[in-house]
Amino acid sequence: MKKIVALALALMMMGVAACASATTVGICQLVQHEALDAATQGFKDALSAKMPDVQFDEQNASGDSANCATIVNTFVANGVDLILANATPALQAAMSATGDIPILGTSVTDYATALGMTEWTGTTGINVSGTSDLAPLDGQAQMIKELFPDAKNVGLIYCSAEANSVYQVTVIRGYLEEMGYTCTEFAFTDSNDVASVTQNAADASDVIYIPTDNTAAAYTETIANVVLPAKVPVVAGEEGICRGCGVATLTISYYDIGYRTGEMAYEILANGADVSTMPIESAPQFTKKYNAENAEALGVTIPEDYAAM
């Protein structure tokens, strides 16, 4: 009996040791929508391929920045080995929660803006790195010019609570105004006023631009229910928004940037790479795509070099 008890205790201790040594990654995703879901999946696929025993604690903040803080604080308390912050509010919450655990961001447009850094060198110098989802804003402005050369008024719809949306709108507004467009910003603060703000934009605009905005991405059906009956075309900052309510986009693959982030995580977890010196990486390519159904419904002629979704 003593031998059986001793063996049982030994096996239990081995199990505890195995659990203690398992690599755990906490994933905080701001909200569920096509782009962020693809980035998370790419991250998990890349890291699992290289570290089959890795464990993921995957949490969704349902679009609430306060939930991001709760989630990442729990990760810190549980001693995860690395945090994936999917979208800017998740990254900001993670940075506030820990200065020690490596943090990788993805689906973050501009890290300098997100982290409040005025002098940007391409690396953060702190426990943060990751991948950017920024498509060329000058290219997106040129797309508006190419598709709607006779338009005069461009409405810029975005969530004012998302720092990177503010950044994108500010930059693309400069390009569009140089092209001769009159630009008006229409900002919603959360999901509650998406419909009313979109209606105001549709009433005042010949064409609408929506950046890579997470709130907009989560409520594309609401936006579509306004802009399509109003016959106002939308050029979007990414494919998911375009698929829901737009006619065209210059987009990246969110799966690909998530996958690259997973490879970066492997370098940190398995090879001891210093996250503070890892350069922020961007998507390797951008693709002109269009929503054939919406383009036809709105009578928009799409050039041959655009790929149908």
Side-chain angles (χ1 to χ4, degrees):
M1 181 61 70
K2 289 181 179 179
K3 290 182 179 180
I4 293 174
V5 171
L7 179 60
L9 288 172
L11 290 172
M12 184 182 300
M13 293 303 295
M14 288 174 62
V16 170
C19 290
S21 62
T23 299
T24 302
V25 174
I27 299 176
C28 179
Q29 180 173 316
L30 174 63
V31 66
Q32 184 175 8
H33 64 68
E34 180 180 334
L36 298 192
D37 291 349
T40 292
Q41 191 60 54
F43 176 84
K44 292 167 61 178
D45 287 351
L47 190 53
S48 296
K50 293 178 176 291
M51 300 180 69
D53 295 329
V54 66
Q55 297 178 1
F56 297 106
D57 185 354
E58 186 175 348
Q59 303 292 329
N60 193 294
S62 301
D64 190 334
S65 297
N67 288 344
C68 289
T70 301
I71 290 168
V72 295
N73 282 327
T74 301
F75 290 161
V76 173
N78 291 341
V80 299
D81 298 289
L82 182 141
I83 295 173
L84 174 71
N86 192 347
T88 298
L91 179 69
Q92 291 170 328
M95 185 187 72
S96 296
T98 177
D100 300 316
I101 298 173
I103 300 166
L104 289 176
T106 192
S107 312
V108 175
T109 303
D110 182 69
Y111 280 77
T113 299
L115 302 178
M117 295 182 172
T118 55
E119 296 184 6
W120 183 247
T121 62
T123 60
T124 66
I126 58 175
N127 60 318
V128 175
S129 189
T131 55
S132 168
D133 65 354
L134 181 62
L137 293 169
D138 55 346
Q140 293 179 359
Q142 188 58 47
M143 176 176 285
I144 293 173
K145 185 70 173 178
E146 178 181 37
L147 296 176
F148 309 103
D150 298 327
K152 292 181 173 58
N153 299 301
V154 178
L156 307 171
I157 295 181
Y158 65 102
C159 179
S160 59
E162 297 190 33
N164 281 319
S165 295
V166 176
Y167 168 81
Q168 291 173 82
V169 164
T170 300
V171 173
I172 200 168
R173 178 172 187 161
Y175 290 129
L176 290 170
E177 289 179 342
E178 287 178 0
M179 293 175 177
Y181 291 105
T182 298
C183 297
T184 306
E185 297 181 18
F186 298 90
F188 44 80
T189 56
D190 55 36
S191 60
N192 293 320
D193 54 353
V194 170
S196 61
V197 169
T198 301
Q199 186 63 64
N200 291 338
D203 291 342
S205 308
D206 301 313
V207 59
I208 288 171
Y209 173 77
I210 303 177
T212 55
D213 183 283
N214 291 293
T215 306
Y219 289 89
T220 56
E221 183 177 356
T222 301
I223 296 171
N225 288 339
V226 174
V227 298
L228 294 179
K231 301 294 184 181
V232 179
V234 169
V235 172
E238 58 93 6
E239 184 173 349
I241 296 175
C242 187
R243 193 186 307 278
C245 63
V247 294
T249 181
L250 181 62
T251 190
I252 67 168
S253 167
Y254 277 79
Y255 180 87
D256 287 350
I257 63 169
Y259 196 95
R260 178 58 191 141
T261 314
E263 293 177 328
M264 295 170 72
Y266 174 76
E267 291 300 319
I268 294 167
L269 295 169
N271 298 329
D274 183 355
V275 64
S276 70
T277 63
M278 297 178 78
I280 303 299
E281 300 194 24
S282 299
Q285 61 185 11
F286 310 96
T287 306
K288 289 182 175 181
K289 292 190 175 183
Y290 74 100
N291 183 322
E293 182 179 353
N294 288 352
E296 182 178 359
L298 297 178
V300 179
T301 302
I302 303 296
E304 293 184 356
D305 61 337
Y306 285 63
M309 292 180 181

